[in-house]
Amino acid sequence: MERTLSIVKPDAVAAGNAGKIIALLEENLRPIAMKMMHLDRKQAEGFYAVHRERPFFADLCDFMTSGPVVIMVLEGENAIARYRELMGATNPAQAAEGTIRKQFATNIERNAVHGSDAPETAAFEISYFFSKLELHSRG
């Protein structure tokens, strides 16, 4: 069983799409932990520290602190690849029909969801938001 982190971003939460996105996720993977948070600047900067030197870093942190997010740990066979396929391309204009971003994203910056891109990233991202006590597997 593999685990990945999912974030329903502020744009999707504000648009009332969090429940629809969670329902799509539950059809494909098993949520084993979930919480709603409103990230502060320090939390957003720490989470996206890998992008600190990129020109979009400040705007990304501004966006991710602009409203509540829903953060989940998803579990399943090949969870990372399966979730990334379900998310669709970062740019919703290039995302395949039926993907989360095609259905719910506004543009490349307000793209509805985040997902881990590799096992090492998933391990860091999950531990950033969830303690071991919060992670429950149904086996």
Side-chain angles (χ1 to χ4, degrees):
M1 272 311 148
E2 189 174 62
R3 292 179 176 176
T4 189
L5 187 88
S6 168
I7 301 177
V8 180
K9 293 182 178 181
D11 57 323
V13 173
N17 292 323
K20 295 171 197 163
I21 292 170
I22 293 166
L24 284 172
L25 296 176
E26 285 184 310
E27 290 175 16
N28 294 276
L29 294 161
R30 183 174 39 257
I32 62 166
M34 182 184 315
K35 61 176 80 172
M36 180 177 260
M37 298 177 67
H38 193 139
L39 301 179
D40 64 26
R41 188 72 185 197
K42 184 177 177 186
Q43 290 167 324
E45 287 178 354
F47 184 73
Y48 287 108
V50 66
H51 298 303
R52 187 172 302 281
E53 302 305 319
R54 307 285 294 268
F56 60 81
F57 179 73
D59 288 342
L60 175 60
C61 291
D62 289 344
F63 168 56
M64 291 302 291
T65 59
S66 68
V69 295
V70 177
I71 305 169
M72 292 170 278
V73 178
L74 305 173
E75 185 177 75
E77 293 294 326
N78 301 311
I80 294 169
R82 287 172 57 201
Y83 181 44
R84 293 191 69 76
E85 184 175 334
L86 184 61
M87 284 193 306
T90 304
N91 183 345
Q94 298 170 348
E97 288 299 326
T99 61
I100 293 169
R101 288 179 172 150
K102 188 67 164 188
Q103 295 178 66
F104 302 110
T106 307
N107 59 47
I108 196 166
E109 293 173 345
R110 298 188 181 287
N111 59 16
V113 288
H114 165 89
S116 306
D117 61 3
E120 304 77 28
T121 311
F124 165 77
E125 291 180 347
I126 291 167
S127 68
Y128 192 84
F129 289 113
F130 293 93
S131 73
K132 289 189 187 283
L133 292 173
E134 293 174 295
L135 300 174
H136 307 284
S137 179
R138 291 187 231 156

